């Protein structure tokens, strides 16, 4: 089986969205800078992005992210998983964590639904085979995958921006937290790409 990687972009003050995230503003009001590295076209960032896409066998996402992705401002035939480098209709299978699957959705049968993060990761691992499962967001499913020891690796793309609020990646928890071991740091003008092993 391949590894499970929790992968997410955050602001310098620790938020994955700016304030005001909704179905029209998936990253909040002014939150686009958090993902600016994806679109900047710098060779370092492009290599990080392409390497991650090439190894991905399946994706796990939360319901809020799915609702945006499936909504009118979400993925299209030109812009899907990988910021335009892969078609939304032809990418890897996606398992969405939700207690109430929607009766219908526009993005096709590559999407399926699971009631909790453990089930979602298990199903994604089966679909991915020897390739990587990417837990791509939002914050809640990334956080759960790390805290529950489901993720083997945490990749944080730290963008040089401040949002002053929004959706935090981590918050105070009342459960044991795993140890992290920093394994790699790659820097571009648009982001610092941090990779941690999650030690259970």
């Amino acid at each position: 089986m391949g590894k499970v990687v929790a992968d997410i972009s955050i602001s310098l003050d620790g938020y994955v969205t700016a304030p005001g995230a909704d179905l029209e503003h998936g990253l909040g009001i002014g939150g686009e800078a958090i993902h600016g590295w994806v679109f900047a076209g710098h060779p370092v960032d492009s290599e990080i992005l392409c390497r991650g896409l090439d190894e991905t066998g399946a994706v796990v996402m939360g319901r809020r992210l799915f609702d945006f992705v499936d909504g009118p401002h979400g993925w299209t035939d030109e812009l899907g998983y990988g910021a335009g480098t892969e078609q939304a209709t032809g990418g890897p299978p996606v398992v969405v964590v939700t207690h109430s699957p929607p009766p219908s959705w526009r993005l096709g049968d590559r999407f399926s639904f699971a009631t909790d993060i453990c089930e979602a990761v298990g199903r994604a691992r089966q679909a991915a085979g020897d390739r990587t499962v990417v837990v791509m967001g939002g914050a809640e499913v990334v956080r759960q995958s790390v805290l529950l020891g489901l993720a083997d690796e945490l990749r944080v793309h730290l963008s040089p921006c401040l949002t002053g609020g929004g959706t935090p990646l981590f918050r105070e928890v009342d459960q044991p937290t795993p140890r992290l071991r920093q394994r790699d740091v790659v820097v571009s003008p648009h982001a610092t790409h941090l990779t941690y092993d999650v030690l259970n």
Side-chain angles (χ1 to χ4, degrees):
M1 283 262 182
K3 62 187 174 182
V4 177
V5 175
D7 188 303
I8 199 160
S9 298
I10 66 170
S11 66
L12 191 58
D13 47 353
Y15 296 97
V16 303
T17 75
D22 57 23
L23 291 181
E24 185 176 352
H25 308 93
L27 294 171
I29 308 299
E32 293 79 8
I34 298 170
H35 288 250
W37 69 275
V38 174
F39 303 97
H42 191 278
V44 169
D45 300 317
S46 296
E47 182 183 350
I48 294 281
L49 187 63
C50 290
R51 190 185 329 142
L53 291 170
D54 288 345
E55 67 186 25
T56 300
V59 172
V60 173
M61 69 171 60
R63 178 60 186 268
R64 287 184 195 163
L65 177 57
F66 168 77
D67 285 344
F68 176 77
V69 160
D70 193 55
H73 302 283
W75 290 357
T76 65
D77 287 342
E78 291 78 37
L79 182 66
Y81 179 72
T85 61
E86 189 164 337
Q87 297 294 328
T89 55
V94 179
V95 184
V96 180
V97 181
T98 179
H99 294 296
S100 55
S104 63
W105 56 96
R106 69 176 179 84
L107 289 177
D109 58 6
R110 70 182 265 217
F111 285 80
S112 63
F113 302 88
T115 56
D116 61 51
I117 184 69
C118 295
E119 179 189 356
V121 169
R123 286 174 47 191
R125 290 191 83 156
Q126 287 184 333
D130 292 334
R131 302 182 75 196
T132 298
V133 171
V134 175
V135 182
M136 68 172 289
E140 184 64 28
V141 294
V142 168
R143 183 166 50 243
Q144 287 181 8
S145 72
V146 172
L147 295 180
L148 294 175
L150 300 171
D152 303 301
E153 192 174 290
L154 172 63
R155 295 178 188 165
V156 174
H157 309 284
L158 184 62
S159 295
C161 65
L162 300 170
T163 64
T167 307
L169 177 54
F170 289 107
R171 58 178 185 230
E172 187 175 344
V173 294
D174 58 357
Q175 66 188 89
T177 55
R179 291 183 302 118
L180 302 177
R181 179 175 57 215
Q182 185 168 287
R183 183 156 48 83
D184 193 33
V185 180
V186 179
V187 179
S188 84
H190 308 285
T192 301
H193 305 279
L194 304 157
T195 301
Y196 300 92
D197 293 321
V198 181
L199 307 176
N200 300 317

